[in-house]
C-alpha cells in the first residue's frame, strides 16, 4: 500500500493498526494450507469483533475466527478442514444457531470476485451457477445491502452476452468485485519492503492481496532484497501492494507451509474435538490463545515435538510418512 | 457367489472404468482420488489428475487428504492458482476433456446436488461445507461422476438447496438456463450405477452390482426411478482388484478394512 | 491440446500440420522480445497465406509476416519495433496501400481478449477506451462479421454495470474473447510433453496459449521432464494445452530471449532499411528466408559473429554494453 | 541570458519535477524513461518505475530501448504479464498512485491523443503504431504527462483519430462517457508546459521556458489557447542538470548532442 523502504513491524502492531472492529477482511491460504494463523490468533487475542470476512475456502483460520466470535458477516464458498472436519464445526454451529450473517458462493465465484477487485473492474463474468440456489438465495437482505455502502446492491446478476452467442453463451453470471479493507497472507519469503515469494500453490492469495486497501504479510523468512530480486519471476506480489511485513516463523502453523512444514493433523483433530463442546472449546482457547502473549509463546505451548513432527522433507516439501489420521 | 470385495472397492473400480485414456481428471480427496489413481494404473495410463487448487499432474507419492494438501504440490507440471484451475474447466478446449468426481449430501432425480444444508437455508438443521468448487465443476464439465451412499434420505425428490446444477428440471432446462451440456452423468453408489436419460434428463438405473437387485436399489431411493434398462455390472476383475489393493492404497488408508 | 507423452516434431511439420491457409493465429512475444521467429520464417517459407493474425504488440514477427504477404486480416494494438522502427514499416505500408483488413484495439483490450479466451468466457469488462475512436471505428464491416462465424458480431460493446455504481463505474467496455486456431510461442525451456517454462516477462503468451485450439511451442532448450517438475512453480503452461514441441535453438533470433540472447539491433536495422524499398526487401527475403531451407541454415547465413554479439551475460540476462544504435 | 541546456534537457527536467516521491511511474522508452530516472535521482527517490510489459521496479543498469527490452527484466521486484501491468493501473488502489508519461503524433485542446494515423483511418496518409497501452493508460491514470514537439500540425483542433482519451470535449464529458477523472494533465514540449482547466477541460499555457514567449508558443499551436495564466518556468538548476547529465545518461544515448 506504500513504497516505504521498511514496512516491518511486530504482528501485534500490524493487527492493531489495520484490523479494526467492523473491518472487511480476507485471509490467504486454503483449508489446511498456508492460513495466516499467527495473525488469526492475534486478532482473537485482541478481541476484535464485528468483522466481515470474505472467504473462498479458509478452513482452519475461518473456524478459529468464527469460534472466537470475531466474525459478524461471512461471504464464503467452502467451510471445511480436511479429514479432521469435513465441515468446519464452529462455522456450522454459528449458522445453525443464527449467530452470524452468511452468504454462499462457489469457489470460482469468490476467486473471481477477488480477481475483479485486483483488476479494478466492478464485476467479472462466469458461466458457473446458472440454475443453482446460489443465484436466487441471498444471505444479506436487500435493505441491509442498500444501507451499507460497503456491500454490493445485488448478490449476483445474470446478464446477456452483448456479443450474441459468441463463445457459445447467450448469458453470463456477473460476480461483483471485492475490495477488502485488509488482507492477511502468510508467505514463505518476503523482504522488508513487502515483496513476496510464495512457494507451491498460490491459491487466491495474489488476487486477494492486490484487491485490498491494505495487506499484512507474515513470512517464514524475512530475506534480503537481493534474494528476491535475483529471480523476479518467482515473486508474485511486488511491494507496492503491501502495508506491513511481520517476520513470524511457523506463522502458518497448524496449517501447512510448503517447503517448511506440514499441517499438524493432530492439532487439527484436537481442535475439532474441542470445537464440538463449549467447555472444551473455552479450555482450548484459554490454553492456546488467551493463555499466551504471542505466537512464540503459542509455539512453546504446542511443544517442540509437534513442530519437529511436521517439519518438511526438503525433497518433497511435506513431512514424509507423517501420522495423519 | 462369494463376493470378495468391499463396497468401496467396487465403487472405486466402477468409477475408474468411466475414465478414458487422455482424460483430465478433476479430483477431490478420499475415494475420488483413489478412483483417479486406479484409472491411471489400470485403464487410462495417460489420464491426468488435477485439483481445483491449481496443481496439474502432481506426483502423488502419498495419498493427499485435502485438495490443499502439500502432497499435491510435488512434481506437478505446473503449480498455479484457483482462478487458473477453474479456467481450465470453463475453457471449452480443455474443459471438454475433463471428467470430474464429486460427492454430495443429497441428489435429486435430475442429478442436481446439495452440499450446503439440510433444512432451511437461513436456519438449517445441518449445515455442510457449501459449494466449494462443486457448483463450478458441475456447471463446466461435460462428465461428472457423483459418489453417494445409497440411502433414501440422500436420493430425494427435491433438494433442500440446489448447490451444483445437474439437469435442473430436465427436458433441456439446463441449457435453457444458460449452462453448457454437462453436470452429473453417472452416479456410483454402494449398490449400483445410475445414468441420466438423454431426453428427459432423469436418473435411471444402469447397473446393479452382484449381490444387489433393482428392487433393493429402489427401496433405497427416495423417488421413482426407471430400472427397465438395468443389467448386472461386470464385477471387478482380479487384475483390477490386485492393482487397486497393491498399487493404489496398500495401507488401505481410504479403502478401509478388508471385506 | 493433447496428453501424448511425446509431441516433439520438426518445425516444418508442426507448421504444415497446424497453420493452414486462412487460419486464425497468434504469436507470442512483444515487439523485439521472444517472438517465435523461426516459426515465422517457416510460415513465410511455406508461403502460407490469408492468415488472420491476432496481435497485441508483436513487432518483428508481425512485420515479417505482413511483409511476406501472409496476413489478410489483422486485429492489433501496436505495430512498432523499438528504435529500429517506431512504427513497423511493412505494417504501415500494408495499411496505407489498402493491402490488408485491420482493426485497432488497445494493448490491454487485446490482452484481455486472449484472457477471456483462456478463461472460457465470451467477454471480459474493462474501464479502458470509452470516448475513444477504438469503440466507434470498426475495421471489419458488419456484413463481413455476420458472414464469418469466426469473427465476433460486434467489435466492442459498452454495457451497464449490473451492480449500479459498484466499483465506481456505471458502465464498462466489454471486449470479446479470442480463441485462435493456433498460437505459436517461443520459450526458454520445454519438455517433450509440452510443459513450458518462460523466463523473464511472460507478456501475454500464457493467455494466448491457453486460448488456442492448438499450441506450437518452439524452445531454446528441450529439457528432461525432471528439470521442469523439480520446480512446478516456475512453469506457466502445463502440457495439456500444447500440440507440438519443436526444439529450435536461437528460435527467437533476431528478437531477444531473456537469459539466452539479446535482440540483434543490427539485424533489425537492416530489416527496417530493406523494408522501406521493394527491391531491397525482396533481396532481403531471398537471402534470409527463401534462400535457406530451415532455421539452422538461416543462422549460418546470419553468421556466428552476430550470434556471439548478442549472447546474454549470465548475470543480467542480456548482452552487456552491446552496440545498440 | 545564456541558455546552457538543450530543449531535451529542459523537457526532461520539467517532466521529472511532476513526479512526486512515492509515485509509481508508468514509463515508455526514450525521453520518458530518462524523466523517470531523473526524478528518482533528483526529487523522488522512492518513486517506482514500471512498464506495461509487467516489470516492476527494475534495476536499469543500461537504458532500455523498448518496453520489452530484456534490460527491464533484471532485478525487478516482480516480472509478471501485460494483464497484470494494466490491472495495476485500472485498480484504483494502486492506479491512483500512478503517473504516466506518453507521447503522441497529435494532441487536441482537450488533451486527447492520436497515435494511430494521419488522414482517413481506412486509407491513411501516414499510419502510426497504434494505441499500444496508450489508450489504457489515458483511461486509468489520474495524471499523465504528454511529451510533444510543439508544432502546429501536432497541436490540432480536431484529431484524425482519437486513440487515447483526455477530457474528450471538456466540461465533464470524460466522466460522462464512463471514464475516471484523469488522462493527460500536463503537456511538456520544447517550448513550454501546458495544463488543463479544471472546469472547461481546455488546455492553457502554464509555463513558458526562458527564451520563449507565450506569443511564440501560440504561433506553434493549431488552436486558440489561454495564455493569461502563463509565467516563466524556473530553469533547470545546476544540480538538476548535473545529475541528469552525469548520473542518468552520461553517454547521451537519449539526450543527444550537447547544446
Amino acid at each position: 500500500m506504500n513504497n516505504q523502504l521498511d514496512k516491518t513491524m511486530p504482528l501485534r502492531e500490524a493487527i492493531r493498526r489495520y484490523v479494526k472492529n467492523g473491518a472487511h477482511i480476507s485471509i490467504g491460504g486454503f483449508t489446511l494450507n498456508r492460513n495466516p494463523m499467527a495473525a488469526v490468533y492475534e486478532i482473537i487475542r485482541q478481541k476484535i469483533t464485528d468483522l466481515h470476512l470474505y472467504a473462498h475456502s479458509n478452513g482452519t483460520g475461518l473456524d478459529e475466527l468464527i469460534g472466537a466470535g470475531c466474525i459478524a458477516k461471512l461471504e464464503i464458498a467452502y467451510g471445511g478442514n480436511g479429514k479432521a472436519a469435513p465441515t468446519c464445526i464452529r462455522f456450522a454451529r454459528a449458522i445453525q444457531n443464527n449467530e452470524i450473517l452468511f452468504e454462499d458462493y462457489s469457489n470460482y465465484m469468490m476467486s473471481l470476485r477477488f480477481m475483479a477487485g485486483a483488476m479494478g473492474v466492478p464485476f467479472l463474468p462466469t458461466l458457473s451457477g446458472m440454475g443453482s440456489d446460489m443465484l436466487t438465495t441471498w444471505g444479506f437482505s436487500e435493505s441491509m445491502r442498500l444501507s451499507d455502502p460497503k456491500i454490493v446492491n445485488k448478490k449476483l446478476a445474470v446478464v446477456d452476452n452483448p456479443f450474441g452467442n459468441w463463445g457459445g453463451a447467450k448469458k453470463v453470471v456477473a460476480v461483483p468485485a471485492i475490495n477488502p479493507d485488509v488482507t492477511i497472507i502468510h508467505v514463505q519469503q518476503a523482504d522488508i519492503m513487502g515483496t513476496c515469494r510464495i512457494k507451491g500453490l498460490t491459491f487466491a492469495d495474489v488476487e486477494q492481496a492486490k484487491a485490498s486497501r491494505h495487506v499484512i504479510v507474515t513470512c517464514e523468512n524475512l530475506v534480503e532484497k537481493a534474494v528476491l530480486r535475483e529471480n523476479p519471476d518467482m515473486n508474485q506480489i511486488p511491494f507496492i501492494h503491501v502495508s506491513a511485513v511481520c517476520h513470524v516463523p511457523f506463522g502458518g502453523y497448524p496449517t501447512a507451509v510448503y517447503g517448511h512444514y506440514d499441517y499438524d493433523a493432530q492439532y487439527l483433530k484436537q481442535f475439532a474435538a474441542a470445537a464440538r463442546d463449549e467447555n472444551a472449546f473455552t479450555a482450548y482457547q484459554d490454553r492456546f490463545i488467551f493463555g499466551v502473549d504471542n505466537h512464540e509463546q503459542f509455539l512453546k505451548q504446542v511443544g517442540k515435538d509437534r513442530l519437529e513432527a511436521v517439519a518438511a522433507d526438503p525433497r518433497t516439501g511435506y513431512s514424509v510418512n507423517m501420522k495423519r489420521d | 457367489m462369494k463376493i470378495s470385495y468391499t463396497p468401496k472397492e467396487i465403487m472405486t473400480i466402477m468409477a475408474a472404468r468411466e475414465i478414458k485414456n487422455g482424460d483430465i481428471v478433476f479430483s477431490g480427496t478420499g475415494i475420488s482420488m483413489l478412483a483417479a489413481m486406479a484409472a491411471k494404473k489400470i485403464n487410462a495410463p495417460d489420464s491426468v489428475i488435477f485439483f481445483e487448487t491449481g496443481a496439474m499432474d502432481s506426483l502423488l507419492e502419498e495419498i493427499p487428504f485435502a485438495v490443499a494438501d502439500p502432497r499435491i504440490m510435488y512434481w506437478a507440471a505446473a503449480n498455479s492458482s484457483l482462478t487458473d484451475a477453474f479456467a481450465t474447466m470453463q475453457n471449452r478446449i480443455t474443459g471438454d476433456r475433463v471428467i470430474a468426481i464429486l460427492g454430495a449430501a443429497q441428489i435429486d432425480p435430475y442429478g442436481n446436488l446439495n452440499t450446503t444444508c439440510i433444512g432451511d437455508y437461513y436456519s438449517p438443521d445441518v449445515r455442510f461445507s457449501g459449494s466449494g468448487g462443486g457448483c463450478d465443476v458441475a456447471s463446466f464439465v461435460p462428465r461428472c461422476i457423483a459418489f453417494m451412499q445409497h440411502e433414501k434420505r440422500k436420493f430425494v425428490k427435491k433438494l433442500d438447496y440446489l448447490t451444483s446444477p445437474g439437469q435442473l428440471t430436465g427436458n433441456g432446462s439446463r441449457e435453457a438456463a444458460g449452462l453448457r451440456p454437462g453436470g452429473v452423468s453417472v452416479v456410483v453408489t454402494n449398490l449400483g450405477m445410475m445414468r441420466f436419460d438423454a431426453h428427459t434428463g432423469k436418473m435411471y438405473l444402469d447397473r446393479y452390482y452382484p449381490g444387489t437387485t433393482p428392487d433393493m436399489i429402489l427401496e433405497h431411493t427416495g423417488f421413482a426411478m426407471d430400472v427397465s434398462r438395468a443389467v448386472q455390472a461386470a464385477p471387478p476383475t482380479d487384475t483390477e482388484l490386485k492393482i487397486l489393493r497393491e498399487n493404489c492404497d496398500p495401507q488401505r488408508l481410504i479403502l478401509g478394512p478388508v471385506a
Side-chain angles (χ1 to χ4, degrees), chain A, chain B:
Chain A
M1 192 23 222
N2 59 51
N3 304 335
Q4 276 168 37
L5 297 183
D6 186 352
K7 296 171 191 159
T8 55
M9 63 183 80
L11 178 58
R12 178 175 301 171
E13 171 62 14
I15 298 297
R16 197 196 54 73
R17 199 183 291 186
Y18 297 110
V19 187
K20 308 285 189 191
N21 287 342
H24 286 225
I25 75 166
S26 88
I27 59 175
F30 194 103
T31 59
L32 43 62
N33 201 311
R34 227 168 25 67
N35 283 216
M37 293 309 299
V40 163
Y41 291 131
E42 182 58 30
I43 289 173
I44 297 172
R45 220 174 277 121
Q46 292 192 18
K47 297 191 165 39
I48 298 167
T49 57
D50 204 26
L51 294 173
H52 186 125
L53 180 69
Y54 301 104
H56 48 84
S57 306
N58 310 109
T60 312
L62 168 85
D63 222 30
E64 292 273 17
L65 286 171
I66 293 181
C70 302
I71 308 296
K73 304 195 277 338
L74 176 65
E75 303 187 35
I76 190 167
Y78 187 82
N81 208 19
K83 233 182 153 171
T87 297
C88 286
I89 293 152
R90 306 302 301 192
F91 157 79
R93 287 201 172 199
I95 290 178
Q96 289 161 194
N97 298 339
N98 301 306
E99 288 165 1
I100 56 172
L101 287 173
F102 63 97
E103 193 158 78
D104 277 86
Y105 296 86
S106 74
N107 204 317
Y108 189 43
M109 287 177 189
M110 286 305 291
S111 303
L112 283 177
R113 295 183 67 196
F114 289 119
M115 191 173 165
M119 289 172 68
V121 287
F123 67 91
L124 282 172
T126 173
L127 303 180
S128 176
M130 285 106 157
S132 79
D133 283 344
M134 234 105 62
L135 279 187
T136 45
T137 306
W138 295 6
F140 304 155
S141 69
E142 192 162 5
S143 63
M144 173 183 162
R145 292 176 178 283
L146 297 178
S147 69
D148 186 345
K150 286 171 88 172
I151 300 180
V152 61
N153 63 340
K154 291 180 207 170
K155 186 188 181 193
L156 297 162
V158 177
V159 299
D160 286 339
N161 178 355
F163 302 101
N165 198 35
W166 187 249
K170 287 207 180 65
K171 40 191 170 181
V172 300
V173 176
V175 301
I178 293 173
N179 288 108
D181 296 320
V182 56
T183 284
I184 311 171
I185 60 174
H186 184 70
V187 306
Q188 282 87 349
Q189 296 184 321
D191 67 16
I192 61 171
M193 292 172 77
T195 296
C196 298
R197 179 172 298 174
I198 297 171
K199 296 183 182 177
L201 297 166
T202 56
F203 307 123
D205 282 33
V206 180
E207 292 84 354
Q208 288 173 260
K210 292 187 175 181
S212 285
R213 179 61 53 183
H214 293 288
V215 176
I216 299 172
V217 171
T218 63
C219 60
E220 286 298 320
N221 295 142
L222 188 67
V223 298
E224 290 297 319
K225 182 177 167 182
V227 172
L228 301 181
R229 297 293 174 125
E230 270 166 7
N231 200 337
D233 303 7
M234 295 180 77
N235 309 332
Q236 299 90 352
I237 303 174
F239 59 89
I240 61 160
H241 301 280
V242 173
S243 291
V245 178
C246 311
H247 182 209
V248 190
F250 278 97
Y253 178 90
T255 68
V257 173
Y258 193 64
H260 290 256
Y261 43 89
D262 216 318
Y263 52 88
D264 187 347
Q266 188 175 311
Y267 189 103
L268 299 180
K269 224 163 103 181
Q270 154 199 287
F271 173 84
R276 284 191 184 86
D277 176 271
E278 294 310 317
N279 290 332
F281 193 62
T282 304
Y284 159 80
Q285 288 182 313
D286 284 346
R287 180 170 168 207
F288 286 102
I289 309 178
F290 298 115
V292 297
D293 264 357
N294 53 40
H295 203 62
E296 272 190 341
Q297 284 191 22
F298 164 79
L299 295 173
K300 272 190 197 143
Q301 187 62 263
V302 165
K304 232 186 218 169
D305 289 358
R306 295 308 315 145
L307 301 187
E308 278 167 13
V310 296
D313 164 64
R315 181 179 67 91
T316 59
Y318 54 81
S319 175
V320 172
N321 288 328
M322 178 180 80
K323 188 173 150 46
R324 287 188 287 151
D325 52 353
Chain B
M1 194 197 79
K2 187 177 159 285
I3 294 173
S4 54
Y5 45 82
T6 68
K8 271 203 178 162
E9 284 173 338
I10 189 171
M11 287 173 77
T12 308
I13 297 294
M14 297 307 283
R17 287 176 183 171
E18 293 294 306
I19 297 169
K20 308 292 172 226
N21 208 14
D23 280 354
I24 302 170
V25 186
F26 173 92
S27 175
T29 47
I31 189 169
S32 72
M33 167 63 48
L34 204 55
M37 289 173 79
K40 215 166 149 60
K41 288 178 200 276
I42 297 169
N43 52 297
D46 294 343
S47 59
V48 176
I49 301 177
F50 99 110
F51 297 90
E52 72 187 75
T53 40
M56 177 67 71
D57 201 33
S58 330
L59 183 63
L60 302 168
E61 290 188 351
E62 297 187 5
I63 292 178
F65 277 1
V67 295
D69 195 305
R71 280 151 194 78
I72 70 162
M73 301 183 188
Y74 178 63
W75 214 259
N79 277 337
S80 64
S81 63
L82 300 181
T83 53
D84 277 348
F86 288 110
T88 299
M89 291 184 278
Q90 191 173 223
N91 176 327
R92 294 172 76 157
I93 299 162
T94 40
D96 281 352
R97 295 152 58 205
V98 174
I99 182 166
I101 314 179
L102 302 170
Q106 290 182 329
I107 190 167
D108 74 10
Y110 296 101
N112 306 301
L113 304 178
N114 173 12
T115 57
T116 302
C117 60
I118 299 295
D120 176 60
Y121 174 71
Y122 300 96
S123 188
D125 299 327
V126 188
R127 169 70 203 204
F128 301 115
S129 56
S131 163
C135 171
D136 309 310
V137 171
S139 297
F140 302 148
V141 170
R143 292 178 297 151
C144 299
I145 302 168
F147 270 122
M148 306 277 300
Q149 285 298 308
H150 216 131
E151 300 172 24
K152 249 193 164 99
R153 64 187 184 112
K154 297 191 172 205
F155 282 70
V156 297
K157 261 189 204 137
K158 191 170 166 20
L159 303 176
D160 288 3
Y161 187 94
L162 197 165
T163 316
S164 304
Q167 303 310 314
L168 297 183
T169 55
N171 296 303
S173 56
R174 177 185 171 95
E175 291 74 16
L179 292 166
R180 280 198 230 157
V184 173
S185 53
V186 194
V187 187
V188 175
T189 75
N190 50 316
L191 300 180
M193 224 168 84
M194 277 58 61
R195 296 187 189 272
F196 295 85
D197 185 89
H199 295 289
T200 63
K202 265 200 169 173
M203 193 188 292
Y204 68 88
L205 183 65
D206 182 58
R207 293 282 185 282
Y208 51 93
Y209 301 155
T212 70
T213 64
D215 278 351
M216 189 190 300
I217 289 171
L218 280 176
E219 267 169 43
H220 288 81
T221 304
F223 47 80
M225 178 168 66
D226 174 19
V227 299
S228 68
R229 290 172 257 188
V231 297
Q232 201 184 62
T237 67
D238 288 349
T239 308
E240 286 171 327
L241 284 171
K242 188 175 150 70
I243 293 174
L244 176 64
R245 291 167 181 172
E246 294 177 14
N247 301 345
C248 297
D249 188 12
Q251 299 172 267
R252 301 192 73 86
L253 289 173
I254 293 166
L255 286 174
V258 289

